[in-house]
Amino acid sequence: MKANVSGIPGIPETAADWQALAQKALNEERLSVEEGLAVLEADDDEVLPLLQAVFRVRKHFYGKKVKLNMIINAKSGLCPEDCGYCAQSIVSSAPIAKYPLLEKATLLAGAREAMARQAGTYCIVASGKGPTDKELDQVVEAVKEIRATMPLKICACLGLLKDDQAERLAEAGVHRYNHNLNTSRANYPSITNTHTYDQRVESVEKVKHYGLSPCSGVIIGMGETNREIVEMAYALRELDADSIPVNFLNAIPGTPLEKAGRTPALKALKVLALFRLICPSKEIRVAGGREVNLRTLQPLGLYAANSLFVGDYLTTKGQEAAADYQMIEDLGFEIEVCAL
């Protein structure tokens, strides 16, 4: 299917046009909405020329290096939020493990595992609307010891923070804080009603204020339009998120979105290309759901993205680490072992 914007003067239709968009990105010029839509609605035959152009941008800013991140599900389930995609939410009946915040020793063991997996960034993720002061104490103590003993970048994802909590995480040595926008402003009420899109934006702005590097991304495949995907990329550009995880919905039985279909692999590649073109200098991570959406085309995703999660996600299994290492080697890329 041809892009529905084809034939409009200045809108990409050929390999040369994709290269022109890549040059705009290299110059850090903002793509128009029409250009963004043209990427998402391009004919499937254009995917390889598009990725070739986008790789110029990725290589300019990140060479052939791939950043690896590892998640520890530090607190599972027990969440009062009603996010329709999440197995840990109060509206989910998915059979998952449920436990309070892990002890310090377990968080430290996770950091050592991240090192063993060649991950440069260790992501401490906890379910819930936001951490209690006791939970924050536990995270802070673990982070201090990790920072003192291991060359790891630490990313925390604990929900909405109070000002003093953000300040304490920064003082403890957390490098980055993740709070995803997840979807577009217009689509937000169809995904959750227990918090707002604006609260997510305010959370990202807050951690920036306290010197934490902002990490914020999206989940593709939750009923959003192509125009909304473009708007999501623009929103993250405007937030100046340093790291942008692009997740593709892995529809989990027992969640409200269990019937949602997967994103076609070629569409997923176009989405990754779009985020690279709109946020050219930022870390673009092909994140959750890559295994079930990109499937055999996972390696092509790294021509646009420069980062991925190694190992399992929060409640779903990831690809074996050995397969990720082989994929990176076969591409002629290399792991960026230390992200500091």
Side-chain angles (χ1 to χ4, degrees), residues 16-76:
D17 293 324
W18 302 129
Q19 292 291 342
L21 283 193
Q23 191 58 52
K24 285 188 73 170
L26 288 168
N27 296 339
E28 300 205 48
E29 299 174 28
R30 181 182 170 120
L31 271 65
S32 69
V33 172
E34 290 75 19
E35 288 169 332
L37 284 170
V39 172
L40 295 179
E41 296 172 358
D43 190 286
D44 288 346
D45 291 347
E46 290 294 308
V47 167
L48 287 179
L50 172 62
L51 287 177
Q52 182 183 38
V54 167
F55 181 59
R56 284 179 56 210
V57 185
R58 183 247 200 263
K59 188 176 180 182
H60 174 81
F61 289 104
Y62 294 99
K64 291 187 174 182
K65 293 187 180 296
V66 179
K67 299 173 184 284
L68 298 184
N69 303 254
M70 194 196 89
I71 292 174
I72 185 167
N73 192 2
K75 176 185 173 186
S76 183

Short mmCIF file of all heavy atoms in Angstrom, two decimals, residues 16-76:
data_model
loop_
_atom_site.label_atom_id
_atom_site.label_comp_id
_atom_site.label_asym_id
_atom_site.label_seq_id
_atom_site.Cartn_x
_atom_site.Cartn_y
_atom_site.Cartn_z
N ALA A 16 16.12 8.62 -2.64
CA ALA A 16 16.77 9.93 -2.54
C ALA A 16 16.03 10.83 -1.55
O ALA A 16 16.64 11.61 -0.81
CB ALA A 16 16.81 10.60 -3.92
N ASP A 17 14.70 10.70 -1.51
CA ASP A 17 13.93 11.49 -0.57
C ASP A 17 14.19 11.05 0.87
O ASP A 17 14.25 11.89 1.78
CB ASP A 17 12.43 11.37 -0.87
CG ASP A 17 12.07 12.03 -2.20
OD1 ASP A 17 12.66 13.06 -2.52
OD2 ASP A 17 11.18 11.51 -2.89
N TRP A 18 14.33 9.76 1.11
CA TRP A 18 14.66 9.30 2.46
C TRP A 18 16.02 9.85 2.88
O TRP A 18 16.22 10.22 4.04
CB TRP A 18 14.66 7.78 2.54
CG TRP A 18 13.37 7.11 2.15
CD1 TRP A 18 13.21 6.09 1.26
CD2 TRP A 18 12.05 7.40 2.65
NE1 TRP A 18 11.89 5.73 1.15
CE2 TRP A 18 11.15 6.52 2.00
CE3 TRP A 18 11.54 8.32 3.56
CZ2 TRP A 18 9.79 6.53 2.24
CZ3 TRP A 18 10.17 8.34 3.81
CH2 TRP A 18 9.31 7.45 3.17
N GLN A 19 16.95 9.89 1.94
CA GLN A 19 18.27 10.45 2.25
C GLN A 19 18.16 11.94 2.59
O GLN A 19 18.88 12.45 3.46
CB GLN A 19 19.23 10.23 1.08
CG GLN A 19 19.61 8.78 0.83
CD GLN A 19 20.49 8.19 1.93
OE1 GLN A 19 21.09 8.91 2.72
NE2 GLN A 19 20.56 6.86 1.97
N ALA A 20 17.24 12.62 1.93
CA ALA A 20 17.04 14.04 2.22
C ALA A 20 16.49 14.21 3.64
O ALA A 20 16.88 15.14 4.36
CB ALA A 20 16.08 14.66 1.20
N LEU A 21 15.59 13.32 4.05
CA LEU A 21 15.09 13.37 5.42
C LEU A 21 16.20 13.08 6.42
O LEU A 21 16.27 13.71 7.50
CB LEU A 21 13.96 12.36 5.62
CG LEU A 21 12.57 12.70 5.08
CD1 LEU A 21 11.55 11.73 5.67
CD2 LEU A 21 12.16 14.12 5.39
N ALA A 22 17.05 12.12 6.08
CA ALA A 22 18.18 11.82 6.96
C ALA A 22 19.09 13.04 7.11
O ALA A 22 19.59 13.32 8.21
CB ALA A 22 18.97 10.63 6.42
N GLN A 23 19.29 13.77 6.02
CA GLN A 23 20.13 14.97 6.10
C GLN A 23 19.49 16.02 7.00
O GLN A 23 20.18 16.70 7.77
CB GLN A 23 20.39 15.54 4.71
CG GLN A 23 21.46 16.63 4.68
CD GLN A 23 22.80 16.13 5.21
OE1 GLN A 23 23.31 15.10 4.78
NE2 GLN A 23 23.35 16.85 6.18
N LYS A 24 18.18 16.16 6.92
CA LYS A 24 17.48 17.07 7.83
C LYS A 24 17.73 16.67 9.27
O LYS A 24 17.98 17.52 10.14
CB LYS A 24 15.97 17.08 7.55
CG LYS A 24 15.55 17.84 6.31
CD LYS A 24 14.03 17.95 6.21
CE LYS A 24 13.45 18.93 7.22
NZ LYS A 24 12.02 19.22 6.97
N ALA A 25 17.65 15.37 9.55
CA ALA A 25 17.87 14.90 10.91
C ALA A 25 19.31 15.16 11.35
O ALA A 25 19.55 15.55 12.50
CB ALA A 25 17.56 13.41 11.00
N LEU A 26 20.26 14.95 10.45
CA LEU A 26 21.67 15.21 10.78
C LEU A 26 21.89 16.69 11.08
O LEU A 26 22.75 17.05 11.89
CB LEU A 26 22.57 14.74 9.64
CG LEU A 26 22.71 13.22 9.51
CD1 LEU A 26 23.38 12.87 8.18
CD2 LEU A 26 23.51 12.66 10.68
N ASN A 27 21.12 17.53 10.42
CA ASN A 27 21.19 18.97 10.68
C ASN A 27 20.34 19.36 11.89
O ASN A 27 20.27 20.54 12.24
CB ASN A 27 20.69 19.76 9.46
CG ASN A 27 21.57 19.56 8.24
OD1 ASN A 27 22.74 19.18 8.36
ND2 ASN A 27 21.01 19.80 7.06
N GLU A 28 19.68 18.34 12.49
CA GLU A 28 18.78 18.51 13.64
C GLU A 28 17.63 19.47 13.33
O GLU A 28 17.18 20.23 14.17
CB GLU A 28 19.55 18.91 14.90
CG GLU A 28 20.59 17.86 15.28
CD GLU A 28 20.96 17.85 16.75
OE1 GLU A 28 20.05 17.87 17.59
OE2 GLU A 28 22.16 17.83 17.04
N GLU A 29 17.17 19.39 12.07
CA GLU A 29 15.98 20.14 11.67
C GLU A 29 14.75 19.29 11.96
O GLU A 29 14.76 18.07 11.81
CB GLU A 29 16.02 20.45 10.17
CG GLU A 29 17.20 21.32 9.74
CD GLU A 29 17.27 21.49 8.24
OE1 GLU A 29 16.21 21.42 7.59
OE2 GLU A 29 18.39 21.64 7.72
N ARG A 30 13.68 19.92 12.35
CA ARG A 30 12.44 19.22 12.69
C ARG A 30 11.71 18.77 11.43
O ARG A 30 11.50 19.55 10.50
CB ARG A 30 11.54 20.15 13.50
CG ARG A 30 10.23 19.51 13.94
CD ARG A 30 9.39 20.53 14.71
NE ARG A 30 8.05 20.04 14.94
CZ ARG A 30 7.51 19.86 16.14
NH1 ARG A 30 8.22 20.14 17.22
NH2 ARG A 30 6.25 19.43 16.27
N LEU A 31 11.34 17.49 11.39
CA LEU A 31 10.52 16.99 10.29
C LEU A 31 9.12 17.55 10.41
O LEU A 31 8.64 17.82 11.52
CB LEU A 31 10.45 15.47 10.31
CG LEU A 31 11.52 14.68 9.56
CD1 LEU A 31 12.90 14.89 10.18
CD2 LEU A 31 11.17 13.19 9.56
N SER A 32 8.44 17.73 9.29
CA SER A 32 7.04 18.13 9.33
C SER A 32 6.18 16.93 9.68
O SER A 32 6.61 15.77 9.58
CB SER A 32 6.62 18.70 7.97
OG SER A 32 6.59 17.65 7.00
N VAL A 33 4.94 17.19 10.07
CA VAL A 33 4.00 16.10 10.35
C VAL A 33 3.81 15.25 9.10
O VAL A 33 3.77 14.01 9.18
CB VAL A 33 2.65 16.67 10.82
CG1 VAL A 33 1.60 15.55 10.93
CG2 VAL A 33 2.79 17.38 12.16
N GLU A 34 3.73 15.89 7.93
CA GLU A 34 3.54 15.16 6.68
C GLU A 34 4.73 14.24 6.39
O GLU A 34 4.56 13.11 5.92
CB GLU A 34 3.33 16.13 5.52
CG GLU A 34 2.00 16.86 5.56
CD GLU A 34 1.95 17.96 6.61
OE1 GLU A 34 3.03 18.41 7.07
OE2 GLU A 34 0.83 18.38 6.98
N GLU A 35 5.93 14.72 6.68
CA GLU A 35 7.11 13.88 6.48
C GLU A 35 7.11 12.70 7.44
O GLU A 35 7.47 11.57 7.08
CB GLU A 35 8.38 14.73 6.64
CG GLU A 35 8.60 15.69 5.48
CD GLU A 35 9.69 16.71 5.77
OE1 GLU A 35 9.92 17.05 6.96
OE2 GLU A 35 10.32 17.19 4.80
N GLY A 36 6.70 12.95 8.68
CA GLY A 36 6.61 11.86 9.64
C GLY A 36 5.59 10.82 9.21
O GLY A 36 5.85 9.61 9.30
N LEU A 37 4.45 11.27 8.74
CA LEU A 37 3.43 10.34 8.26
C LEU A 37 3.92 9.56 7.05
O LEU A 37 3.61 8.37 6.87
CB LEU A 37 2.15 11.10 7.90
CG LEU A 37 1.28 11.55 9.08
CD1 LEU A 37 0.18 12.49 8.59
CD2 LEU A 37 0.68 10.36 9.80
N ALA A 38 4.70 10.22 6.21
CA ALA A 38 5.22 9.54 5.02
C ALA A 38 6.11 8.37 5.41
O ALA A 38 6.13 7.33 4.73
CB ALA A 38 6.00 10.53 4.15
N VAL A 39 6.86 8.51 6.50
CA VAL A 39 7.69 7.40 6.99
C VAL A 39 6.82 6.23 7.41
O VAL A 39 7.04 5.08 7.00
CB VAL A 39 8.58 7.88 8.16
CG1 VAL A 39 9.30 6.69 8.80
CG2 VAL A 39 9.60 8.91 7.68
N LEU A 40 5.80 6.51 8.21
CA LEU A 40 4.95 5.44 8.73
C LEU A 40 4.09 4.79 7.65
O LEU A 40 3.74 3.61 7.75
CB LEU A 40 4.05 5.98 9.84
CG LEU A 40 4.75 6.46 11.11
CD1 LEU A 40 3.72 6.99 12.10
CD2 LEU A 40 5.57 5.35 11.74
N GLU A 41 3.74 5.56 6.63
CA GLU A 41 2.81 5.07 5.60
C GLU A 41 3.52 4.72 4.29
O GLU A 41 2.89 4.51 3.27
CB GLU A 41 1.73 6.13 5.37
CG GLU A 41 0.89 6.33 6.64
CD GLU A 41 -0.08 7.49 6.56
OE1 GLU A 41 -0.09 8.20 5.53
OE2 GLU A 41 -0.81 7.71 7.54
N ALA A 42 4.83 4.63 4.36
CA ALA A 42 5.60 4.27 3.17
C ALA A 42 5.25 2.86 2.71
O ALA A 42 4.88 2.00 3.52
CB ALA A 42 7.10 4.36 3.46
N ASP A 43 5.37 2.63 1.43
CA ASP A 43 5.21 1.28 0.89
C ASP A 43 6.23 0.36 1.56
O ASP A 43 7.36 0.76 1.84
CB ASP A 43 5.46 1.33 -0.62
CG ASP A 43 5.07 0.02 -1.30
OD1 ASP A 43 5.81 -0.97 -1.14
OD2 ASP A 43 4.04 0.00 -1.98
N ASP A 44 5.82 -0.87 1.83
CA ASP A 44 6.73 -1.82 2.48
C ASP A 44 8.01 -2.02 1.68
O ASP A 44 9.07 -2.32 2.26
CB ASP A 44 6.04 -3.16 2.70
CG ASP A 44 4.99 -3.10 3.81
OD1 ASP A 44 5.00 -2.11 4.58
OD2 ASP A 44 4.17 -4.04 3.90
N ASP A 45 7.94 -1.85 0.36
CA ASP A 45 9.14 -1.99 -0.47
C ASP A 45 10.17 -0.90 -0.17
O ASP A 45 11.33 -1.01 -0.58
CB ASP A 45 8.77 -1.93 -1.96
CG ASP A 45 8.00 -3.15 -2.42
OD1 ASP A 45 7.95 -4.14 -1.66
OD2 ASP A 45 7.43 -3.11 -3.52
N GLU A 46 9.74 0.17 0.51
CA GLU A 46 10.64 1.28 0.82
C GLU A 46 11.38 1.10 2.14
O GLU A 46 12.21 1.94 2.51
CB GLU A 46 9.84 2.59 0.88
CG GLU A 46 9.34 3.07 -0.47
CD GLU A 46 10.49 3.47 -1.39
OE1 GLU A 46 11.35 4.27 -0.96
OE2 GLU A 46 10.54 2.94 -2.52
N VAL A 47 11.11 0.01 2.87
CA VAL A 47 11.69 -0.14 4.20
C VAL A 47 13.21 -0.21 4.16
O VAL A 47 13.90 0.44 4.96
CB VAL A 47 11.10 -1.36 4.92
CG1 VAL A 47 11.91 -1.71 6.17
CG2 VAL A 47 9.66 -1.08 5.33
N LEU A 48 13.77 -0.96 3.23
CA LEU A 48 15.23 -1.07 3.17
C LEU A 48 15.89 0.26 2.78
O LEU A 48 16.86 0.68 3.44
CB LEU A 48 15.66 -2.20 2.25
CG LEU A 48 15.42 -3.61 2.80
CD1 LEU A 48 15.87 -4.66 1.79
CD2 LEU A 48 16.13 -3.81 4.12
N PRO A 49 15.42 0.98 1.75
CA PRO A 49 15.99 2.30 1.48
C PRO A 49 15.82 3.26 2.65
O PRO A 49 16.71 4.07 2.93
CB PRO A 49 15.22 2.78 0.24
CG PRO A 49 14.73 1.54 -0.43
CD PRO A 49 14.48 0.57 0.68
N LEU A 50 14.69 3.18 3.33
CA LEU A 50 14.45 4.03 4.49
C LEU A 50 15.46 3.72 5.59
O LEU A 50 16.08 4.63 6.16
CB LEU A 50 13.02 3.81 5.01
CG LEU A 50 12.65 4.48 6.34
CD1 LEU A 50 12.75 5.99 6.23
CD2 LEU A 50 11.24 4.06 6.76
N LEU A 51 15.66 2.44 5.91
CA LEU A 51 16.62 2.07 6.95
C LEU A 51 18.05 2.44 6.57
O LEU A 51 18.85 2.81 7.42
CB LEU A 51 16.52 0.58 7.25
CG LEU A 51 15.28 0.12 8.02
CD1 LEU A 51 15.30 -1.39 8.17
CD2 LEU A 51 15.23 0.79 9.40
N GLN A 52 18.36 2.33 5.28
CA GLN A 52 19.70 2.72 4.83
C GLN A 52 19.94 4.20 5.12
O GLN A 52 21.01 4.60 5.59
CB GLN A 52 19.86 2.44 3.34
CG GLN A 52 21.26 2.78 2.83
CD GLN A 52 21.37 2.55 1.33
OE1 GLN A 52 20.44 2.81 0.58
NE2 GLN A 52 22.52 2.06 0.89
N ALA A 53 18.92 5.02 4.87
CA ALA A 53 19.04 6.45 5.13
C ALA A 53 19.12 6.73 6.63
O ALA A 53 19.95 7.51 7.10
CB ALA A 53 17.85 7.19 4.52
N VAL A 54 18.26 6.07 7.39
CA VAL A 54 18.22 6.29 8.83
C VAL A 54 19.52 5.83 9.50
O VAL A 54 19.97 6.44 10.49
CB VAL A 54 17.00 5.55 9.42
CG1 VAL A 54 17.07 5.47 10.93
CG2 VAL A 54 15.71 6.25 9.00
N PHE A 55 20.13 4.79 8.96
CA PHE A 55 21.39 4.31 9.54
C PHE A 55 22.48 5.37 9.48
O PHE A 55 23.36 5.41 10.34
CB PHE A 55 21.84 3.03 8.83
CG PHE A 55 23.12 2.46 9.38
CD1 PHE A 55 23.21 2.09 10.71
CD2 PHE A 55 24.24 2.30 8.56
CE1 PHE A 55 24.39 1.56 11.22
CE2 PHE A 55 25.42 1.79 9.07
CZ PHE A 55 25.50 1.42 10.39
N ARG A 56 22.43 6.23 8.48
CA ARG A 56 23.39 7.34 8.44
C ARG A 56 23.31 8.18 9.70
O ARG A 56 24.34 8.61 10.25
CB ARG A 56 23.12 8.26 7.24
CG ARG A 56 23.55 7.76 5.89
CD ARG A 56 23.17 8.77 4.81
NE ARG A 56 23.73 10.10 5.07
CZ ARG A 56 23.16 11.24 4.69
NH1 ARG A 56 21.97 11.21 4.06
NH2 ARG A 56 23.74 12.39 4.93
N VAL A 57 22.09 8.42 10.16
CA VAL A 57 21.88 9.24 11.36
C VAL A 57 22.34 8.48 12.60
O VAL A 57 23.08 9.02 13.43
CB VAL A 57 20.39 9.62 11.49
CG1 VAL A 57 20.18 10.56 12.66
CG2 VAL A 57 19.88 10.26 10.19
N ARG A 58 21.92 7.24 12.72
CA ARG A 58 22.33 6.41 13.86
C ARG A 58 23.85 6.30 13.94
O ARG A 58 24.45 6.43 15.01
CB ARG A 58 21.68 5.04 13.71
CG ARG A 58 21.95 4.08 14.87
CD ARG A 58 22.81 2.91 14.39
NE ARG A 58 22.69 1.78 15.29
CZ ARG A 58 23.55 1.52 16.26
NH1 ARG A 58 24.59 2.32 16.50
NH2 ARG A 58 23.39 0.45 17.03
N LYS A 59 24.50 6.06 12.80
CA LYS A 59 25.95 5.88 12.78
C LYS A 59 26.66 7.19 13.12
O LYS A 59 27.70 7.19 13.81
CB LYS A 59 26.39 5.37 11.41
CG LYS A 59 27.87 4.97 11.38
CD LYS A 59 28.23 4.37 10.03
CE LYS A 59 29.71 3.98 10.00
NZ LYS A 59 30.11 3.43 8.67
N HIS A 60 26.13 8.31 12.68
CA HIS A 60 26.74 9.61 12.97
C HIS A 60 26.82 9.86 14.47
O HIS A 60 27.85 10.32 14.99
CB HIS A 60 25.95 10.73 12.30
CG HIS A 60 26.42 12.11 12.66
ND1 HIS A 60 27.51 12.70 12.06
CD2 HIS A 60 25.96 13.01 13.58
CE1 HIS A 60 27.71 13.90 12.58
NE2 HIS A 60 26.78 14.11 13.51
N PHE A 61 25.74 9.54 15.19
CA PHE A 61 25.70 9.84 16.62
C PHE A 61 26.20 8.70 17.50
O PHE A 61 26.70 8.95 18.60
CB PHE A 61 24.26 10.21 17.02
CG PHE A 61 23.81 11.55 16.50
CD1 PHE A 61 22.94 11.63 15.42
CD2 PHE A 61 24.28 12.71 17.08
CE1 PHE A 61 22.53 12.87 14.93
CE2 PHE A 61 23.88 13.96 16.61
CZ PHE A 61 23.00 14.04 15.53
N TYR A 62 26.10 7.45 17.02
CA TYR A 62 26.43 6.32 17.89
C TYR A 62 27.35 5.28 17.26
O TYR A 62 27.63 4.25 17.89
CB TYR A 62 25.14 5.64 18.37
CG TYR A 62 24.33 6.53 19.28
CD1 TYR A 62 23.23 7.25 18.80
CD2 TYR A 62 24.68 6.69 20.62
CE1 TYR A 62 22.51 8.08 19.63
CE2 TYR A 62 23.96 7.53 21.46
CZ TYR A 62 22.87 8.23 20.96
OH TYR A 62 22.16 9.06 21.77
N GLY A 63 27.82 5.54 16.04
CA GLY A 63 28.68 4.57 15.40
C GLY A 63 27.98 3.24 15.25
O GLY A 63 26.79 3.17 14.92
N LYS A 64 28.71 2.15 15.51
CA LYS A 64 28.13 0.82 15.43
C LYS A 64 27.99 0.18 16.81
O LYS A 64 27.91 -1.04 16.94
CB LYS A 64 28.98 -0.07 14.52
CG LYS A 64 28.95 0.32 13.05
CD LYS A 64 29.68 -0.70 12.20
CE LYS A 64 29.54 -0.39 10.71
NZ LYS A 64 30.22 -1.41 9.88
N LYS A 65 27.95 1.02 17.82
CA LYS A 65 27.83 0.52 19.19
C LYS A 65 26.37 0.30 19.58
O LYS A 65 25.48 1.02 19.14
CB LYS A 65 28.49 1.48 20.17
CG LYS A 65 30.02 1.56 20.01
CD LYS A 65 30.65 2.37 21.10
CE LYS A 65 32.17 2.44 20.93
NZ LYS A 65 32.79 1.11 21.05
N VAL A 66 26.14 -0.70 20.43
CA VAL A 66 24.82 -1.02 20.95
C VAL A 66 24.88 -0.99 22.47
O VAL A 66 25.70 -1.68 23.08
CB VAL A 66 24.35 -2.42 20.48
CG1 VAL A 66 22.97 -2.74 21.06
CG2 VAL A 66 24.33 -2.50 18.96
N LYS A 67 24.02 -0.19 23.06
CA LYS A 67 23.93 -0.12 24.52
C LYS A 67 22.99 -1.21 25.01
O LYS A 67 21.88 -1.36 24.50
CB LYS A 67 23.39 1.25 24.96
CG LYS A 67 24.25 2.44 24.56
CD LYS A 67 23.53 3.75 24.90
CE LYS A 67 24.31 4.97 24.42
NZ LYS A 67 25.46 5.25 25.28
N LEU A 68 23.42 -1.95 26.02
CA LEU A 68 22.57 -2.98 26.61
C LEU A 68 22.06 -2.51 27.98
O LEU A 68 22.80 -1.93 28.76
CB LEU A 68 23.34 -4.29 26.79
CG LEU A 68 23.87 -4.96 25.51
CD1 LEU A 68 24.53 -6.29 25.85
CD2 LEU A 68 22.78 -5.15 24.48
N ASN A 69 20.80 -2.78 28.23
CA ASN A 69 20.16 -2.43 29.49
C ASN A 69 19.56 -3.70 30.08
O ASN A 69 19.05 -4.54 29.34
CB ASN A 69 19.03 -1.43 29.27
CG ASN A 69 19.48 -0.15 28.59
OD1 ASN A 69 19.59 0.89 29.22
ND2 ASN A 69 19.75 -0.21 27.29
N MET A 70 19.59 -3.82 31.40
CA MET A 70 18.95 -4.97 32.03
C MET A 70 17.98 -4.49 33.10
O MET A 70 18.30 -3.60 33.90
CB MET A 70 19.97 -5.91 32.67
CG MET A 70 19.37 -7.27 33.04
SD MET A 70 20.37 -8.25 34.20
CE MET A 70 19.73 -7.66 35.78
N ILE A 71 16.78 -5.08 33.11
CA ILE A 71 15.72 -4.74 34.06
C ILE A 71 15.69 -5.73 35.22
O ILE A 71 15.84 -6.93 35.01
CB ILE A 71 14.34 -4.78 33.37
CG1 ILE A 71 14.20 -3.67 32.34
CG2 ILE A 71 13.21 -4.67 34.40
CD1 ILE A 71 12.90 -3.76 31.54
N ILE A 72 15.49 -5.21 36.43
CA ILE A 72 15.08 -6.06 37.54
C ILE A 72 13.70 -5.60 37.98
O ILE A 72 13.46 -4.40 38.18
CB ILE A 72 16.08 -6.03 38.71
CG1 ILE A 72 15.65 -7.03 39.79
CG2 ILE A 72 16.24 -4.62 39.29
CD1 ILE A 72 16.73 -7.31 40.83
N ASN A 73 12.77 -6.53 38.07
CA ASN A 73 11.42 -6.22 38.52
C ASN A 73 11.46 -6.19 40.04
O ASN A 73 11.25 -7.19 40.72
CB ASN A 73 10.42 -7.27 38.02
CG ASN A 73 8.98 -6.84 38.21
OD1 ASN A 73 8.71 -5.74 38.69
ND2 ASN A 73 8.05 -7.70 37.85
N ALA A 74 11.75 -5.00 40.58
CA ALA A 74 12.05 -4.86 42.00
C ALA A 74 10.83 -4.95 42.90
O ALA A 74 10.95 -5.20 44.10
CB ALA A 74 12.77 -3.53 42.24
N LYS A 75 9.65 -4.74 42.34
CA LYS A 75 8.39 -4.90 43.08
C LYS A 75 7.35 -5.28 42.05
O LYS A 75 7.14 -4.55 41.08
CB LYS A 75 8.01 -3.60 43.79
CG LYS A 75 6.66 -3.66 44.52
CD LYS A 75 6.30 -2.29 45.07
CE LYS A 75 4.90 -2.28 45.65
NZ LYS A 75 4.50 -0.90 46.07
N SER A 76 6.67 -6.40 42.25
CA SER A 76 5.80 -6.92 41.20
C SER A 76 4.35 -6.98 41.64
O SER A 76 4.03 -7.43 42.74
CB SER A 76 6.27 -8.32 40.79
OG SER A 76 5.48 -8.82 39.73
#
